[in-house]
Amino acid sequence: MTDGLILEMKGISKRFGGTIALDNVDMDVRYGEVHALVGENGAGKSTLMNILNGSLQQDSGDIFLKKKKISIKNPYIAQKLGLSMVYQELKLIPELTVAENIYFGRQSLNFFVNWKDLFARADKVLEKLGAHIKSEQKVKTLSVAQRQQVEIAKALSRNCDLLILDEPTASITPEEANILFKVIRTLTEHNISIIYISHRLEEIFKISDRITILRDGHKITTLNSKDTNQDGIIKLILGTDTLFLREKRKQLSDTSEEVLRVDKLSINNKLNNISFGLHRGEILGIAGLMGSGRTELLQALFGNLGISSGDIYIHNKKYIPGTPEKAVNSGLALVPEDRKNQGLVLGMSVKDNIAFAGLKNFYKFGFLKISKEKKMVKNIVAKLNIRINSIFQNASSLSGGNQQKIVFGKWLLIDSDIMLLDEPTRGIDVGAKEEVFNIIDDLVSKGKSIIFVSSELTEVIQISDRILVLFNGSIVKDLPRGTDIKTVTKYATGGKLYE
Amino acid sequence: MNRDNLSTPGIKFKNNFKLTPEIGALIALLAIAIVLSIVNQYFFTVSNFINLLKQVSIIGIAGAGVTLVIISGGIDLSIGSMISFSVVLVAGFMENNGMAPWFAVILVLIIGAALGLINGALITVLHIPPIIATLATLIAYKGAALVYTGGYAIPLINKFMIPGRGFVGPIPVPIIIMAGVYVIGYIILKYTMLGRMVYGLGGNEEAVYLSGRSVKKYRLIIYMISGITASLAGVVLASRISSGQPMSGEGVEMDVIAAAVLGGTNIFGGIGTMGGTIIGAFILVVINNGLNLMNVSPYGQFIAKGIILASAVAINSMKSFRKS
């Protein structure tokens, strides 16, 4: 039975407005296999899996489960059919016990909870997994890896035949990942099939039987894991071997003046011993997967996340991060990852948003010099080519690209010296991306220094003068400009293993 | 290029007119007034209007500070107790300590600022949620007023008439005080750093913080202002009732918060205006007045006010629901 197919998806297509998220994608899964699904961000992995778990409906195409055609209208039906998904963001209730979480909403009860029965049943499921967790424990006392096991147990308790794991190792340690792999093997021994989504290629080869590659909404191919290798997969994911580097702007970065020096910076469980220097006019790229610690690094430099140890120097003067206010006064600026929640006050005008960081420049005795403010804001709007009808327009009414330019504008207004950019191109269209790159080029040509973080490795490579690769909270490699994408991807997805 | 056309919420009509919550509230106020003028001959009289203006002043003055608090994403439940405490203090300072009225008033305003500062400190330093922090001080400040007087009223016979009962020409002094408070409030919201921070904190505190702004300082100032306006309302109230009643401000916070919300201030912060609150205060007072004239018992009036508040907010929510 092992070679028979439990699931077949045929010709699945899905569109969101004008963009085609999936175009005629086929995928099949065998009984008891681990089937890895890989591709860049935006390749269509999540859309495909959301269709399979009933969160989205395909526009066309058929799904067959155990040779029977099925229609999955919602996640509840998916669960009834034996399809479960464990999300990257775990969805457990911390204040309840493990057993209550596993059987949440499904406790067999005659008004009163039969605790003994509940715990016994939960223990049995956990035992099947080989998980060392007591079902009476509250979920809040568990580690992330243990919580993940509880999620898997929850799926199992619903008699799941096919389990989808979405980036299960993104937030756990390598040791915990090994335990997870053991759990996965136990499941496959019970003939349960796994669809395994991950960016970490090294572990994909460790655990998977077959690999399906998606790119730009198309299925590229499905391969047996033992018939291929990481280089082959990377090439298929990216669709190319070579990248065009952005043309070098005015050369400034080989001046040796160090504007920022980070020495042995650590944050408990998040960053270990990070050391690097940033030079005047340099774009320092940081390549790393989600959960590698890249956002934490920027937030810590900006004083929004406490550090455990380490020293930071700005222009050779010691800088102890405290609050963002202090960071701004020291010449730092942050374009945060989450534009809508951290970058902008959406209900306020373009003018008010751009002015926020620079309010000190135009007020006297508490009163705002509004005409000066307007003038400076209009200046920024023109400089960054922000397309608006009026500077009094609400920030919420703008496109993602224009909103991002407002966040940049905030810092341009006060002429920040060191810009920390966390995923500055996320969720904006290609044209706006190009404009953001132009803004960055312009900034460095004026002697500003940039730390550029992105999960799009191609972007990091195209724009950076130097690339630091972060993996699991450590810098695993310092690579020069023009390093090929395979090398960067290897380090970012597999850490030190390639040394 | 008019700010109000583009950045405030509401329904947009053709030819650039936009129905903001404040204008909606104003239309409601006028409608209620017209109905009352038709059904009751006493409503549309000069003496009744002066009466209305006097009644609105307490809610109005205290409402200015609370408007800042609510727009900034906070809440202040301790208003009524701060009013009571100020009422007994201003009376006590004059009667028991023989202070000059002007000195007693200034002292009470300073104490009001301190009471507000305590609220702010509980919230920003001890990280107590605003609704709990100010519930705690509602209880504590109420106790302070009762302890100070031993539960009795301090009579103010034939003195301290001006703030609550005085006139400048035909205009009652409390109205002039209230107008002054609103002019200052309007200027603060529109033209000062503090005003900008009030909207920013209510709109998205994290984004403001990550723009390098100090958040705590402004929260403290905002609650302090709420303390000052509450104690100013207490001064006016003490003069109007000629007595330092320790329970005189009881429940005023509900009217004040209702006034702000009726005037279109978003209870979750980020949206609101001074003008809206004063319109909201007038709606509450006019309804009270109308029900009085129609001989509805004060007990029944509470029911009416509750229904009006719920309906007004429901209308606002339906509008924003439709938008999204």
Side-chain angles (χ1 to χ4, degrees), chain A residues 342 344 356 366 368 373 410, chain B residues 191 193 196 204 206 213:
Chain A
Q342 299 189 308
L344 294 167
F356 254 120
L368 295 165
E373 184 190 14
K410 191 154 85 172
Chain B
Y191 299 109
M193 178 86 157
R196 186 69 60 81
N204 186 348
E206 193 176 3
R213 300 261 69 91

Side-chain angles (χ1 to χ4, degrees), chain A residues 339-346, chain B residues 199-209:
Chain A
R339 181 168 61 237
K340 289 191 166 137
N341 289 314
Q342 299 189 308
L344 294 167
V345 186
L346 287 174
Chain B
Y199 284 110
L201 292 179
N204 186 348
E205 175 168 346
E206 193 176 3
V208 172
Y209 181 66

Side-chain angles (χ1 to χ4, degrees), chain B residues 103-115:
Chain B
F103 189 70
V105 168
I106 288 172
L107 203 55
V108 164
L109 294 182
I110 290 169
I111 292 170
L115 298 177

Side-chain angles (χ1 to χ4, degrees), chain B residues 34-279:
Chain B
I34 289 167
V35 170
L36 287 174
S37 318
I38 294 167
V39 298
N40 196 297
Q41 52 179 333
Y42 300 108
F43 180 78
F44 203 78
T45 57
V46 174
S47 65
N48 192 45
F49 271 39
I50 287 177
N51 188 16
L52 280 176
L53 287 172
K54 278 194 210 160
Q55 284 173 14
V56 89
S57 61
I58 306 294
I59 301 175
I61 292 167
V66 171
T67 305
L68 294 184
V69 171
I70 299 179
I71 298 174
S72 75
I75 191 78
D76 191 346
L77 297 180
S78 70
I79 298 298
S81 296
M82 290 198 284
I83 291 176
S84 297
F85 195 29
S86 305
V87 165
V88 297
L89 284 181
V90 77
F93 286 163
M94 286 184 286
E95 281 300 306
N96 305 342
N97 307 92
M99 282 182 202
W102 65 270
F103 189 70
V105 168
I106 288 172
L107 203 55
V108 164
L109 294 182
I110 290 169
I111 292 170
L115 298 177
L117 213 53
I118 292 173
N119 284 337
L122 291 175
I123 291 158
T124 57
V125 182
L126 300 182
H127 302 288
I128 304 175
I131 194 164
I132 303 300
T134 57
L135 177 64
T137 54
L138 177 158
I139 299 165
Y141 296 163
K142 179 176 167 176
L146 289 165
V147 167
Y148 183 76
T149 60
Y152 299 104
I154 302 166
L156 276 173
I157 299 154
N158 287 332
K159 60 169 77 153
F160 201 50
M161 310 272 280
I162 296 167
R165 284 176 288 169
F167 279 87
V168 174
I171 307 166
V173 171
I175 287 305
I176 294 169
I177 294 174
M178 183 177 80
V181 166
Y182 275 83
V183 168
I184 294 169
Y186 179 81
I187 291 170
I188 285 179
L189 272 184
K190 199 139 191 181
Y191 299 109
T192 68
M193 178 86 157
L194 173 63
R196 186 69 60 81
M197 290 297 287
V198 165
Y199 284 110
L201 292 179
N204 186 348
E205 175 168 346
E206 193 176 3
V208 172
Y209 181 66
L210 288 178
S211 299
R213 300 261 69 91
S214 142
V215 165
K216 279 187 185 176
K217 183 173 94 188
Y218 286 97
R219 282 230 181 276
L220 284 174
I221 295 173
I222 291 163
Y223 281 98
M224 195 178 80
I225 291 174
S226 183
I228 294 171
T229 53
S231 64
L232 185 59
V235 166
V236 172
L237 184 59
S239 164
R240 197 169 92 203
I241 60 180
S242 303
S243 161
Q245 299 267 8
M247 303 284 270
S248 49
E250 187 102 341
V252 174
E253 64 276 355
M254 292 304 154
D255 282 342
V256 167
I257 294 167
V261 172
L262 281 175
T265 301
N266 186 325
I267 197 74
F268 298 115
I271 299 168
T273 58
M274 282 290 157
T277 301
I278 200 142
I279 294 165

